[in-house]
Amino acid sequence: MSKVNVGIIGFGTVGSGTVEALIENREIISNRAGTDVIIRKIADLDIKTKREVVVARELLTTRAMDVIEDPEIHIVVELIGGVKAAKEYILKAMEGGKHVVTANKALLAEQGQEIYQTADRYGGSLAFEASVGGGIPIIRALRSGLSANRIKTVMGILNGTSNYILTRMPQEGEPYNKVVQDAVDLGLAEDPPTLDVDGTDAAHKLAILISIAFGSPASFEEIYREGISSLTPDDIRFARELGYCIKLLAISRVRDGRLEARVHPAMIPRDHILANVNGAYNAIYLDGDLVGPNLYYGLGAGKKPTASAVVSDIIDLARHIRSETDVIMPPLAHFNPHDKGLLIRPMEELSSEYYLRVSALDKPGVLSTIAGILADQQISISSVIQKERETGGPVPVVMLTHEALECNVQKAVSLIDQLDVVMDKTVMIRVEKR
Ligand code: HSE
């Protein structure tokens, strides 16, 4: 085959980055694919707004079906995001015998099984490197480089926007909303950015990684999710005083035959391997039975890094189309058809150390009342800091606990918050040392 034709649906940040990469790196892309890779059509509802990349007017259409129904197009690239319309386009493209590339983590996390099965049924390929970790080739690493391993742990910083916010908050002491807006302006954030800061985006990515790493379809709804919006600059400062930093972590770990699957802010020691992952960077730590620990680091969001992943998928598929063989990775290759999959361990059974910040009135006996509630729930305190009273209002009482059960800590926090001397909701952050 002398050329492979690509049709792109979605000409936003990632779409225009992909077009730009295909044009600017055309020569190396063709060399590596072994065939010319040609953009044949680009569909977007808005084809009037000027993009940074210039394309011929006749390539543009407002109808996604013009891409899907074009018999000359071999690869359909879906970059509109969202679930409903994207799913419809992807399924139609597969039914029409096209190969599909997508960056759509929400769709794969929430309805991946149907998409993988449809790709399998119609014999097409489904490539989704850009769905997790932006430019980090983590899907390929798991599906091929580490395919001999039984994976024990997947843990990482999977959301660039929240990592950018957490990095800038303590450094510059800027208002939260301004930092969020900067992340939007840099093309890092989801639309709306609440999906980044409430943990949904990281949980989508974790669901995809779980399905590949552990070979069992993870139900997105079962992943515990907590975002960063309740954190204050004070918590970040106290964490630092205690020798920690705060990151939004996605954690999945096999324990006693069941799988932990959780996304939440976590305090990690400042010498932890993920502690210096800052700004829009992502990092994913894996532990395999043969390979041991592995770490992947890179830009997890933004136009060019994401385009790097999308175009790598296009090149892989172009090689496959050109060779006319059936050697491409089947869409369902990561699932074990004979395995029912690992059950998710309920969050209440988690055992961890905890940071608690109680806003309490500075009166005699308050600390001992709080300590008594913790003791009743079998929670042992490892350190306490109480800050000076400034204006007669509540003072932050900051505590670190030894390892305790999540259900006991939740109970203790709800009892503490009912005390008359406690003026605000207690902040609880899990401490992750491994
Ligand atoms: N909004 C995502 C992030 C990038 O901030 O990581 C795309 O996955």
Side-chain angles (χ1 to χ4, degrees), residues 5-310:
N5 290 322
V6 175
I8 296 171
I9 304 175
F11 200 23
T13 305
V14 181
S16 56
T18 300
V19 170
E20 211 171 296
L22 286 169
I23 294 172
E24 280 181 11
N25 287 2
R26 181 174 175 167
E27 203 178 320
I28 59 165
I29 290 169
S30 300
N31 285 340
R32 289 172 188 170
T35 178
D36 277 338
V37 176
I38 309 290
I39 303 171
R40 190 173 158 92
K41 276 197 181 85
I42 304 167
D44 196 285
L45 291 176
D46 171 13
I47 54 173
K48 294 226 167 88
T49 305
K50 252 183 120 210
R51 282 28 178 214
E52 277 173 31
V53 60
V54 180
V55 294
R57 176 69 188 80
E58 59 271 21
L59 291 183
L60 297 171
T61 171
T62 53
R63 294 184 65 247
M65 290 312 288
D66 288 347
V67 171
I68 293 164
E69 288 171 347
D70 184 334
E72 298 296 316
I73 287 179
H74 304 98
I75 303 172
V76 171
V77 183
E78 179 278 307
L79 299 172
I80 58 171
V83 172
K84 196 161 172 277
K87 179 180 177 188
E88 187 190 321
Y89 296 150
I90 288 177
L91 294 182
K92 285 215 171 91
M94 287 172 172
E95 286 160 19
K98 312 281 192 214
H99 300 287
V100 172
V101 174
T102 180
N104 197 324
K105 59 243 150 153
L107 178 60
L108 294 177
E110 291 174 26
Q111 306 195 27
Q113 277 304 91
E114 187 181 343
I115 306 287
Y116 298 133
Q117 279 162 1
T118 308
D120 204 48
R121 184 168 341 121
Y122 288 94
S125 294
L126 174 71
F128 48 94
E129 185 61 69
S131 62
V132 182
I136 305 172
I138 188 65
I139 304 288
R140 258 187 207 81
L142 275 168
R143 295 187 94 195
S144 47
L146 300 177
S147 56
N149 283 262
R150 209 177 283 278
I151 301 292
K152 297 183 284 184
T153 301
V154 175
M155 173 164 79
I157 295 170
L158 297 182
N159 183 262
T161 301
S162 52
N163 203 47
Y164 175 83
I165 294 168
L166 289 175
T167 306
R168 273 195 53 188
M169 260 167 60
Q171 276 178 0
E172 301 174 22
E174 279 188 282
Y176 181 80
N177 288 344
K178 158 95 172 63
V179 182
V180 176
Q181 187 54 46
D182 286 350
V184 173
D185 295 343
L186 286 169
L188 308 177
E190 298 301 297
D191 180 14
T194 40
L195 297 176
D196 292 297
V197 295
D198 72 2
T200 303
D201 178 76
H204 280 147
K205 293 167 181 168
L206 186 63
I208 296 171
L209 291 182
I210 287 176
S211 69
I212 301 171
F214 302 102
S216 58
S219 153
F220 164 70
E221 285 76 26
E222 280 186 273
I223 296 179
Y224 177 82
R225 238 177 311 153
E226 198 182 298
I228 61 168
S229 47
S230 63
L231 300 176
T232 64
D234 277 353
D235 295 310
I236 293 171
R237 196 160 39 82
F238 295 146
R240 191 180 287 169
E241 281 178 31
L242 292 161
Y244 293 85
C245 60
I246 303 179
K247 297 287 180 193
L248 182 72
L249 288 192
I251 301 170
S252 153
R253 189 180 276 140
V254 182
R255 234 186 223 182
D256 305 327
R258 285 185 299 167
L259 197 66
E260 281 180 9
R262 49 194 170 103
V263 171
H264 53 74
M267 272 179 35
I268 54 177
R270 285 226 298 275
D271 60 357
H272 190 284
I273 201 159
L274 298 175
N276 286 315
V277 177
N278 289 321
Y281 281 85
N282 281 16
I284 300 137
Y285 167 89
L286 302 172
D287 190 7
D289 61 347
L290 304 177
V291 75
N294 254 228
L295 184 70
Y296 301 81
Y297 169 82
L299 282 168
K303 181 164 124 174
K304 288 195 175 182
T306 313
S308 160
V310 171

Side-chain angles (χ1 to χ4, degrees), residues 135 313 415:
D313 280 343
L415 292 171

